Amino acid sequence: MQALRVEHLSDDLSGVTLADLPPPVRAPGEVLVQVRAASLNFPDLLMTRGEYQFKPQPPFTSGLEFAGEVLAADPTSGFAVGDRVMGGNKTGAFAEIASVPADKLSTMPQGMDFPAAAAMGAAYSTAFTGLVEQGGLQEGQWVLVHGASGGVGLAACDLARALGAHVIATTGSPDKVERIAALARPDAVIVAEGRFRDTVADLTDGALADIVFDPVGGDVFDESTRCVAFGGKLMVVGFTSGRIADIATNIPLIKGFSIVGLRAGEYARRFPERGRAIQSAITRLAEAGAITPAIDRTLPLSRWREGFDAMARRELVGKVVFLPDC
């Protein structure tokens, strides 16, 4: 089978290659899946450089998440041959066949195709864990979503709007504003440059944001401390800006807000019952047509570099989905 392998770490993807490998051997407790679609996430790019908190040792097959059909499973796994499933296990998704633990998979929402299912898992579980589980999102609240052109940012916009919140989406690229507005349908899209607190205040009639969802960090985080309402939550989701921000603790003290770290995967590992409940809630919303993953482009796996390069250059609005060439 073909698989995208990270043979050695590099800053320029020179250590990544499409290789011919034997199919994986299913271990007890695992499910063997014919991969029909797999989506690219920012951690996939970081792992090729050794810059993500999870650091697999090369060589390894890249890819966090996929959707496909079950080829083999234990009778007690809850899955049967032919079932349409989605999920992943940090690595191994960018291949024609994957073998992952049964608890890392779930049944695809009815009516959803493979590319959409592959694009849904990590982004929407992150958004739901942050906004609902840890953020306590309520209908009518204001949510400020940074990095709204990325898969996680778009998922947060989509989910917050579906749950009745008011959404302000931000981007660092003015040329992405119209595309974000069309895909995410927030109340407003603004460019997060300089002092954008006054713009947030104007849009919320002075109320500011009940939840700030921040995958960007750096200068955007710094200004977000001025955008969060008293009693609100500033969610640390990631650092795509490249700078991990510092904060003087008198700021959340005086303004009365909480800083909440979001690690959706770790949350589900520590609280598996809540993880299953989150997935069930996302599935219900998807089957009802309330949420829809945004896909920037689909590519054959042989054109993997095009997708990785587009992500590195920050060209994307939505997810890249790879389709096996077979």
Side-chain angles (χ1 to χ4, degrees), residues 88-109:
N89 194 31
K90 295 184 180 179
T91 61
F94 298 154
E96 294 176 18
I97 298 174
S99 188
V100 299
D103 63 359
K104 303 297 183 184
L105 295 175
S106 60
T107 302
M108 284 173 47

Side-chain angles (χ1 to χ4, degrees), residues 204-244:
T204 61
D205 292 329
L208 300 177
D210 299 288
I211 300 175
V212 178
F213 188 89
D214 180 21
V216 179
D219 295 345
V220 167
F221 177 91
D222 295 342
E223 183 65 5
S224 292
T225 65
R226 304 176 67 240
C227 299
V228 60
F230 190 91
K233 294 180 174 67
L234 201 171
M235 312 215 69
V236 180
V237 186
F239 316 102
T240 60
S241 69
R243 179 172 74 84
I244 298 174

Side-chain angles (χ1 to χ4, degrees), residues 244-310:
I244 298 174
D246 297 318
I247 184 170
T249 53
N250 66 313
I251 296 175
L253 169 66
I254 293 169
K255 295 202 63 178
F257 67 83
S258 302
I259 299 172
V260 181
L262 172 57
R263 290 185 64 196
E266 185 63 21
Y267 187 91
R269 282 188 286 274
R270 288 177 178 267
F271 309 108
E273 290 186 4
R274 294 307 309 150
R276 289 189 289 271
I278 289 167
Q279 186 57 55
S280 294
I282 293 169
T283 297
R284 288 194 298 272
L285 287 167
E287 290 180 342
I291 55 176
T292 304
I295 297 175
D296 184 280
R297 66 192 74 179
T298 57
L299 298 168
L301 187 57
S302 58
R303 291 168 58 189
W304 64 269
R305 181 177 285 274
E306 181 179 334
F308 274 79
D309 284 344

Side-chain angles (χ1 to χ4, degrees), residues 1-7 16-19 21 40 48 60-63 92-96 301-302 304-305 308 322:
M1 69 169 191
Q2 285 193 322
L4 191 65
R5 298 285 284 177
V6 179
E7 299 291 346
V16 185
T17 185
L18 194 61
L21 298 177
L40 178 63
T48 69
F60 63 90
T61 297
S62 182
F94 298 154
E96 294 176 18
L301 187 57
S302 58
W304 64 269
R305 181 177 285 274
F308 274 79
F322 295 125

